[in-house]
Amino acid sequence: MSAVQEISDFSESQPVRWDIAVGCAVLGIALMLVVMSPWLVTERDQLMDLNDRLATPFAWPHVLGTDQLGRDVASRIVMGLRWSFATAVCSTLLAFAIGTVLGLVAARAGRASNFIRRLTALAQSFPVFVLAVSVVALVGNGFFAVSTVLGLATWPVFCRVVQAEAASLFTREYVLAAQMLQMSRARLYRKHILPGLVSSLSVLVPFHFADMLIAESALSFLGVGAPLGEATWGSMLQESRSYLWSAPWLMLFPAAAIVTLVIAANLLGDGLRRKLV
Amino acid sequence: MTSDHHPLPLLRVDGLTLASDAHTIVKELTFTLRAGEMLGIVGESGSGKSMTAYAIAGLLPREVLVTSGSIMLDSRSLLSLSHAERRMLAGRRIGMVLQDRRSSFNPVRTIGSILIESIVRHRAMPTSEARALAMQALTGVRLLDSKLIDAYPHQLSGGQLQRAMIALARLNDPVLLIADEPTTALDPIVQLQILSLLRASAVDRGVVLITHDLHVAAAVCDQLIVMHRGECIEQGPARQVIDSPEHTYTRQWLASARLLSSGAPLLRSVSAL
Amino acid sequence: MTSGALLEVAHVSMTFASRGRTVHALRDVSLDVEAGEVVALIGESGSGKSTLARLIAGIGKPSCGSVRFRSHDLGRVSKNAQRTLRQRIQMVFQDPDASLNPSHTVAAILTEPLIVRRFGSSDAIRRRVAELLEQVRLDAGLLERRPHQLSGGQKQRVAIARALAMEPEVLIADEPLSALDVSTAASIARLFQDLQRQLSIAMLFISHDLAAVRRLASRVAVMYAGEIVETGPIGLLDAPAHPFTRLLVGSTLVENARLNTTLVEQLDAMQPLAIATGGCGYRACCLSRNDVCATAPALATVDDRIDHAARCHLRRA
C-alpha cells in the first residue's frame, strides 16, 4: 500500500508503530532544541571559564560538566546539535533534490537516461570521505562547504531508487491508462508518478539523514569542515581524547548525542519501511 | 471413462470442520475418494476449497484449526499424527501441486536440483541414479527437452512449469495427488494437455482437482463437490451434478457459465454483410 | 481491406532486441475495425495480441507499418492532433487490481478523464460521473472508496467507466474477463454487450476465452507467433480453415464435453521440428504439415463472400 493511502487510511484504526513514534519523538525534541537554541544557549554560556575547568557533571550550574577550557558541555552539545542537524538536513535535501530529478529523467528511456546512469555509477564510485576532505581543503571550512560536498557526493542513492521505482511505475497499467487519457506531463507526474514514489522516498530520507549525521561527525572529528572554534560533536570527541580517563564525560556526552540521534533516525526509517514497503 | 475401483476408499474425509478466530471456513465436509478416481472440488473464491486441500496435505496456516471431523488416508487417521509423522507421510504418500506456480520453485535452483533433492530425501541413492530418475519424471510429463533439467524456473513457460510441478508431485509415487487450480492463466491448448496429464495420473492413484472453472471439472472429473461459503451444497457423479443439479446455487452457477459459453453470437456489426 | 475503416492497421511489424536476439513480436500485421463493430483478437500468450493492442493504444511504436484512425496516420500527425485523436481510443486492461491508481478514490479516477477533456464545470462533471456509474451499474455509494475496498468486478466496472468517460470511438479490451470469477466474468461480459449495443462503440476484444468471444464479437482475427493466420466472421470458429484455429477451437472445454483425448494424443505425438526457418511459421507444431509448407503462405481468401481469409496452403473451410 502506498504512503498516501496509508496516511489517508489512518482513521481506519491503524495503530502507530512504536519505532516510528520513538523516532519522531526524539527527532522532534532535537528539532525543538535547535529552534529554541538562541534562548537556551546565550553568549555567556559559551564562554571559557578557566577557573572552572573539567568540572564534573550533574552539578549546577554546569549540568553536563565543563571541558578543558571551562566551557559548559551542555551548551556545546546544544550548539553541536544545531550544526549536525543543519548539515544533515541540508545535505539530505540537496542529495534528495538532485537525485530525484535525475532519477525521474533517467526513468524514461533515451540518451539522457544512459548518460545519467553512467554519471550515477561514476559518482557512486567516489569515496565520499576523500572527496569531502579534498573539497574542503580547496574551498575552506564552513557550513555550506560541508553540506554541499556531502549532498553532491551522495545523490546517487536517491537517483538509483527513484529511477528504478519510476521506471517500474511507467509499466503499471494505471499509469498507462493515465497516459492514454493524453493528460499533460505535469499532471501525470503530479497525480500518478510522484505519489507512487512517496513510500520509497519516505523510507530513504531518514536513513540518509542518519548517514549524513555520521559522515559530518567523522569529518569534524578529523578537523575538516567546521570552522575553528565551532562547537560540533565530532570536534568535541576529538578534543576529549586526551581526557578519556580523567574526564570521561567529555567523550560520553557527545558520543551519546550522536548515537541517540542516529538510532532515532534509523528507527524512524525502519518503521516506515515496515509499514510502507 | 471407466475407473478402476479399489475395494476400500483411498481417502475418506468425515465431517471436517475448519475454523479460524472469527469464522468457520469449512463446515462438516464429508466425501470419499477411491484409487483410479478423480474428484473435483469446485467453488468460487472464498468457498473453502483450497483450505480443504491444505487440510488434507497438512499445510494449514497457523490461524486455521481443525475443530472437528477426521481425514483418513488408506485407513490411517491423518489428524491424529504428530507433526513430524504427518510431514513424513505427506512427503511420501501425498503429492501436491500448488496454485502459485512461480513461488513453488526456488528461483535460484534448477528444476533438476529440486527434483533430485526430493528423491534423495525419501530414498537413499547416489546422485547419478537420482538424476536419471528425475529425467524420467520429466519425460513422464512430456518435458522432453533434455536441457530443461538444468534450467531455472524463470526460463520455463507457464505450461512447462505446471508440468514440472506435476512431475515433482508424482515423484515419490504418492497414492494421492492434489492439484490446486492447475490450469489458471494457461492457454486453452496447454490447459487441455495439463488436464489430460492429470487424468492420466489418476489411473493408479486418487486425484483431487480444485478449481473455480466448472468446465475444467466437467472435462476430467468422475465425482464433483460444489462448495459455497464453506459448505458442500452438492455432491455426486460429475455427469449427474452438471446435467441435473439440485441446489439453486449450482443451477445459477451453471447458468452463468452457460451465458459465457453459449454459441450464438449476440452482436452484429453495424455494417453487416 | 476496405478503405475508410475507422481503425486501419496496415502491415505493422514490431521487433525488439532481447538478450542479444531480435524478437519479432509482430510480423506484417494488418487489421481493420469498422465503426461500431466488435472484432475479436484471439490466440495464445506470446502471439502478439497484447503487443498489437498496446501499439494501437499508443504504447510503443511499430518498427514499420502504420496505424490509421479516422484516416489519419497516427505515426505522422502533429503532437496536438495525435493527442486529440488518441483520446478517442481507450483501453480496458486485464488486471483490475493494477489498472486503477491505488491511492485515488473512485470519484477521483472518474473525474480525471473529464478534467483532462475539459468537460465543463465541476457540477457538470459531477453529474456526468453519476451517469457513468449508472451506465456501468455501480452504486453511487462507492464514490469515496479506494480500489482496495472494491471487488474485482467492481474495479473492472470502474475501469470501463473511466474509458467511457472519454467517449471513445474505439474501445480496446485486453483480456478483460480473464482475472475474474466465472459469475463476475459473465456479468461484465453482459455489460460489454449492453454498452456496445447502446453506444455503438467499435471494439477490439482480446481474449483466449473463445466462449466469451463468440458471445460478443461479429468478426474474429486469429494470431499465432506475431502473425495473423485467419480472419473472418465469427462463424468461422465453427468451420476454421487454419490448422491452428482448428486446434484452438478443439481445445475449448465446452460444457458437457469430456476431454478430447484424440486431440491430446495427436498433440503429444507431435514431434516439434527443431527451429523451423523460413516457410510457414506454424509448421513446427502443425498437425497437417507437409512439404508445401516449406514456403511461407500469404493470407489468402477462403471464401470471398464473407471475407474469410487464412494463411495456410492447405486452407479448407
Side-chain angles (χ1 to χ4, degrees):
Chain A
M1 297 223 275
S2 70
V4 180
Q5 200 172 312
E6 279 293 304
I7 294 165
S8 55
D9 280 348
F10 196 89
S11 53
E12 289 173 70
S13 58
Q14 292 266 1
V16 183
R17 296 184 56 95
W18 71 273
D19 35 18
I20 297 180
V22 169
C24 281
V26 173
L27 291 174
I29 294 172
L31 183 61
M32 253 195 342
L33 287 172
V34 169
V35 167
M36 295 193 333
S37 60
W39 293 279
L40 288 174
V41 179
T42 63
E43 276 298 321
R44 258 195 28 179
D45 293 320
Q46 298 177 66
L47 286 177
M48 297 188 240
D49 184 2
L50 294 168
N51 291 326
D52 199 4
R53 300 163 59 223
L54 300 175
T56 48
F58 310 127
W60 194 262
H62 300 292
V63 190
L64 297 182
T66 61
D67 67 3
Q68 70 282 11
L69 294 178
R71 293 176 294 196
D72 178 34
V73 173
S75 307
R76 301 200 88 219
I77 293 278
V78 173
M79 293 310 284
L81 171 66
R82 238 174 58 157
W83 175 266
S84 295
F85 207 89
T87 49
V89 165
C90 288
S91 54
T92 301
L93 280 177
L94 186 61
F96 174 94
I98 301 176
T100 305
V101 170
L102 290 181
L104 283 174
V105 174
R108 309 297 274 131
R111 272 177 300 148
S113 164
N114 285 330
F115 172 71
I116 292 175
R117 220 166 296 177
R118 304 237 169 99
L119 187 65
T120 313
L122 188 68
Q124 216 162 10
S125 57
F126 262 90
V128 175
F129 244 67
V130 173
L131 182 68
V133 173
S134 331
V135 168
V136 171
L138 286 171
V139 171
N141 290 343
F143 176 80
F144 283 111
V146 175
S147 305
T148 314
V149 152
L150 286 178
L152 287 177
T154 54
W155 63 259
V157 177
F158 285 98
C159 185
R160 290 230 145 135
V161 170
V162 169
Q163 184 188 331
E165 287 281 325
S168 153
L169 280 172
F170 276 110
T171 64
R172 303 266 171 87
E173 271 103 353
Y174 71 83
V175 175
L176 292 176
Q179 286 176 308
M180 285 187 73
L181 297 180
Q182 311 296 327
M183 62 180 70
S184 64
R185 205 183 281 186
R187 195 193 164 91
L188 184 71
Y189 276 83
R190 191 166 40 99
K191 293 273 178 181
H192 297 280
I193 306 292
L194 293 178
L197 296 173
V198 169
S199 311
S200 326
L201 289 176
S202 305
V203 172
L204 209 49
V205 165
F207 281 129
H208 202 261
F209 178 81
D211 287 341
M212 297 293 96
L213 276 173
I214 296 178
E216 193 290 315
S217 304
L219 283 179
S220 53
F221 180 85
L222 294 177
V224 173
L228 220 51
E230 180 82 37
T232 68
W233 293 343
S235 59
M236 287 168 77
L237 279 177
Q238 169 67 255
E239 289 167 17
S240 75
R241 286 167 74 217
S242 327
Y243 303 92
L244 269 181
W245 297 114
S246 47
W249 62 90
L250 294 182
M251 183 274 286
L252 287 170
F253 291 127
I258 296 173
V259 165
T260 309
L261 218 54
V262 167
I263 290 183
N266 278 326
L267 271 178
L268 178 59
D270 205 43
L272 284 173
R273 181 180 63 82
R274 282 179 215 277
K275 197 171 161 81
L276 299 176
V277 176
Chain B
M1 262 162 226
T2 52
S3 46
D4 241 276
H5 286 268
H6 251 230
L8 289 164
L10 174 66
L11 176 70
R12 179 187 259 136
V13 172
D14 217 335
L16 183 69
T17 310
L18 303 174
S20 81
D21 295 334
H23 53 277
T24 325
I25 298 173
V26 172
K27 196 158 163 225
E28 311 227 334
L29 185 61
T30 302
F31 65 84
T32 320
L33 177 71
R34 294 183 163 74
E37 262 187 3
M38 194 146 153
L39 168 72
I41 304 184
V42 289
E44 304 202 304
S45 47
S47 56
K49 51 192 204 296
S50 284
M51 280 298 164
T52 309
Y54 291 149
I56 299 170
L59 293 173
L60 283 176
R62 209 173 303 160
E63 322 83 65
V64 181
L65 300 165
V66 179
T67 51
S68 73
S70 68
I71 304 176
M72 312 277 285
L73 182 67
D74 248 359
S75 313
R76 284 188 72 185
S77 170
L78 292 183
L79 296 175
S80 59
L81 295 175
S82 74
H83 204 67
E85 286 176 319
R86 187 77 185 273
R87 221 160 1 111
M88 271 310 281
L89 189 75
R92 257 186 289 122
R93 317 211 76 214
I94 304 177
M96 185 139 176
V97 178
L98 294 168
Q99 185 168 0
D100 190 348
R101 247 163 263 144
R102 293 283 152 196
S103 64
S104 298
F105 285 102
N106 187 334
V108 300
R109 300 183 58 189
T110 61
I111 305 290
S113 71
I114 297 172
L115 289 171
I116 292 171
E117 185 194 9
S118 177
I119 297 172
V120 168
R121 200 189 304 146
H122 294 278
R123 292 175 258 190
M125 70 167 64
T127 327
S128 50
E129 229 185 281
R131 192 184 162 89
L133 256 172
M135 289 229 64
Q136 222 175 34
L138 288 178
T139 325
V141 292
R142 304 213 43 94
L143 283 174
L144 303 168
D145 189 348
S146 56
K147 283 186 255 119
L148 285 173
I149 196 170
D150 294 316
Y152 288 92
H154 69 269
Q155 294 172 311
L156 267 62
S157 70
Q160 289 176 317
L161 214 52
Q162 193 67 289
R163 288 177 194 271
M165 277 177 74
I166 294 173
L168 185 60
R170 298 199 317 191
L171 208 47
N172 295 305
D173 209 17
V175 293
L176 176 66
L177 195 62
I178 306 175
D180 190 1
E181 303 276 11
T183 57
T184 39
L186 289 181
D187 294 322
I189 295 176
V190 180
Q191 193 171 330
L192 194 69
Q193 293 176 301
I194 297 294
L195 286 178
S196 143
L197 193 56
L198 287 172
R199 180 74 234 178
S201 306
V203 168
D204 21 62
R205 56 179 71 84
V207 178
V208 175
L209 175 66
I210 313 236
T211 178
H212 69 273
D213 191 337
L214 207 56
H215 300 312
V216 164
V220 284
C221 298
D222 301 307
Q223 303 277 331
L224 271 191
I225 291 181
V226 181
M227 287 188 75
H228 180 58
R229 297 222 188 115
E231 289 188 50
C232 163
I233 56 166
E234 190 125 18
Q235 201 171 357
R239 200 75 286 129
Q240 198 182 307
V241 173
I242 295 217
D243 291 339
S244 25
E246 287 176 4
H247 199 280
T248 340
Y249 175 75
T250 322
R251 260 184 264 133
Q252 273 175 6
W253 197 15
L254 284 167
S256 303
R258 269 188 212 112
L259 189 72
L260 274 184
S261 70
S262 75
L266 287 185
L267 292 176
R268 305 239 181 284
S269 76
V270 169
S271 54
L273 297 139
Chain C
M1 227 99 7
T2 50
S3 62
L6 183 62
L7 184 70
E8 293 166 292
V9 177
H11 303 289
V12 160
S13 295
M14 182 140 159
T15 52
F16 53 88
S18 163
R19 291 185 209 147
R21 270 182 286 151
T22 33
V23 178
H24 295 276
L26 293 172
R27 266 183 255 248
D28 194 35
V29 169
S30 297
L31 185 68
D32 281 358
V33 181
E34 305 280 348
E37 131 177 282
V38 178
V39 176
L41 197 57
I42 63 177
E44 298 211 301
S45 4
S47 59
K49 339 189 273 291
S50 272
T51 315
L52 181 62
R54 288 179 176 214
L55 211 73
I56 297 172
I59 303 163
K61 267 201 263 274
S63 325
C64 60
S66 67
V67 176
R68 302 179 77 88
F69 176 63
R70 287 220 227 125
S71 307
H72 298 277
D73 186 336
L74 290 175
R76 298 237 184 134
V77 293
S78 67
K79 270 266 151 86
N80 275 329
Q82 230 194 95
R83 272 195 73 226
T84 329
L85 288 169
R86 285 200 185 280
Q87 281 183 331
R88 312 293 247 157
I89 305 175
Q90 290 299 316
M91 190 148 149
V92 176
F93 296 87
Q94 174 174 0
D95 188 359
D97 292 324
S99 60
L100 303 177
N101 189 325
S103 52
H104 286 192
T105 56
V106 171
I109 293 172
L110 295 180
T111 315
E112 184 160 58
L114 299 170
I115 293 178
V116 172
R117 271 180 70 195
R118 308 222 182 114
F119 185 77
S121 66
S122 39
D123 275 329
I125 289 181
R126 216 172 305 135
R127 261 176 282 136
R128 182 77 186 119
V129 169
E131 275 171 27
L132 286 166
L133 278 181
E134 235 187 271
Q135 257 186 330
V136 296
R137 296 175 207 145
L138 276 180
D139 187 49
L142 296 176
L143 275 177
E144 290 313 305
R145 296 228 192 138
R146 283 172 214 278
H148 70 277
Q149 295 166 301
L150 302 173
S151 71
Q154 289 171 324
K155 280 186 273 221
Q156 203 64 309
R157 288 174 197 266
V158 173
I160 295 171
R162 174 181 58 194
L164 291 178
M166 296 303 278
E167 280 167 52
E169 288 173 54
V170 176
L171 183 63
I172 306 172
D174 189 356
E175 307 261 11
L177 310 174
S178 312
L180 305 170
D181 244 307
V182 169
S183 45
T184 320
S187 51
I188 300 289
R190 227 173 313 164
L191 180 63
F192 271 118
Q193 260 177 256
D194 295 339
L195 286 172
Q196 207 279 343
R197 218 178 295 147
Q198 274 169 32
L199 307 165
S200 294
I201 309 180
M203 268 183 71
L204 185 62
F205 191 83
I206 299 165
S207 183
H208 62 230
D209 180 355
L210 294 188
V213 157
R214 275 189 203 265
R215 189 122 186 121
L216 290 165
S218 57
R219 281 213 302 129
V220 62
V222 185
M223 283 192 78
Y224 181 81
E227 281 184 312
I228 293 203
V229 295
E230 188 160 5
T231 60
I234 196 73
L236 77 81
L237 292 179
D238 292 321
H242 195 283
F244 174 69
T245 318
R246 269 202 292 275
L247 185 63
L248 202 55
V249 175
S251 314
T252 311
L253 295 170
V254 179
E255 188 200 324
N256 294 328
R258 292 293 277 179
L259 199 63
N260 191 342
T261 36
T262 353
L263 186 61
V264 182
E265 273 162 16
Q266 285 179 309
L267 278 172
D268 284 345
M270 202 63 239
Q271 294 293 358
L273 274 183
I275 313 166
T277 42
C280 176
Y282 184 57
R283 202 164 33 127
C285 316
C286 188
L287 293 170
S288 344
R289 67 174 176 230
N290 67 33
D291 296 326
V292 69
C293 304
T295 46
L299 193 65
T301 323
V302 173
D303 187 342
D304 208 11
R305 295 167 296 164
I306 50 173
D307 206 7
H308 180 185
R311 192 185 295 273
C312 178
H313 294 297
L314 312 163
R315 63 191 174 279
R316 51 187 198 281

